[in-house]
Amino acid sequence: GAFLTALADHGAQPEQIVAVDIDARRLENLAGAHPGLKTHCGDFVQYALDRPDVRFDLIVGNPPYIRRKNFDVGFSETLDSLGDRQAYPRPQLKNAWAAFVIAAESILAADGALAFVVPYELMNVDYGLALQRAVFPKFERIDILVPEEKAFKHIDQDAVVVIARRQA
């Protein structure tokens, strides 16, 4: 909800926004607070796969940080489909957040932007570097904001904000 509130504070109308989340109660609360908001209850990666021709001007999120060993069978199959569709090597999809970035890029408009809070691993692990090599060249500009303190102290997790912009 924090992203939605920030967008609304900067003039975005709820009718222009689609909120995707796996938590139906969270979506109900958001829709109640923002009349006109379009919502979709489900996995974002599957949402993107089901809508290959839909394009968004802006995609923002804080995807889940779930390691491959903790994927359920359904999500593993979804990632197989994503890897096939995007010609992305399945072995490099070692964490859910990477799949979210790839899925977001696949439905982003030619002049769109995405902004994600992702683990610092983007900067220093093999699958993070592979994602950079595969996805970053599709953008005109990439900004990576690195906070001075751990983003999620309670779980000892560093994170960065990636803002990627295209120009048509």
Side-chain angles (χ1 to χ4, degrees):
F3 294 127
L4 181 57
T5 300
L7 289 168
D9 288 349
H10 286 88
Q13 299 300 310
E15 303 82 28
Q16 300 172 306
I17 299 171
V18 179
V20 179
D21 201 299
I22 59 171
D23 185 336
R25 192 175 349 212
R26 181 174 291 153
L27 289 172
E28 288 171 12
N29 291 340
L30 287 172
H34 302 277
L37 177 70
K38 297 180 217 86
T39 63
H40 175 80
C41 187
D43 167 38
F44 174 75
V45 176
Q46 188 64 56
Y47 178 86
L49 285 169
D50 291 344
R51 292 156 183 82
D53 298 325
V54 172
R55 295 290 175 258
F56 291 92
D57 297 322
L58 175 65
I59 300 174
V60 298
N62 182 5
Y65 305 174
I66 303 170
R67 294 182 183 151
R68 180 182 5 199
K69 69 179 183 174
N70 296 323
F71 293 168
D72 65 30
V73 173
F75 191 63
S76 287
E77 291 171 356
T78 298
L79 293 192
D80 288 341
S81 296
L82 178 68
D84 290 345
R85 179 173 295 163
Q86 297 306 116
Y88 195 84
R90 176 63 170 90
Q92 293 299 338
L93 290 172
K94 293 182 180 183
N95 202 301
W97 66 265
F100 275 61
V101 172
I102 293 162
E105 185 280 324
S106 77
I107 58 172
L108 194 64
D111 59 348
L114 63 80
F116 276 91
V117 178
V118 298
Y120 188 84
E121 284 82 10
L122 168 73
M123 309 297 290
N124 64 358
V125 298
D126 288 342
Y127 70 90
L129 299 173
L131 183 116
Q132 287 184 46
R133 287 188 299 273
V135 176
F136 285 8
K138 298 177 182 181
F139 293 92
E140 180 75 23
R141 178 176 174 159
I142 305 285
D143 292 302
I144 300 175
L145 309 172
V146 180
E148 292 182 17
E149 296 183 17
K150 285 195 186 290
F152 303 105
K153 293 177 186 175
H154 62 287
I155 59 170
D156 195 32
Q157 176 68 59
D158 283 327
V160 299
V161 176
V162 175
I163 302 170
R165 299 175 189 98
R166 289 185 171 155
Q167 291 182 335

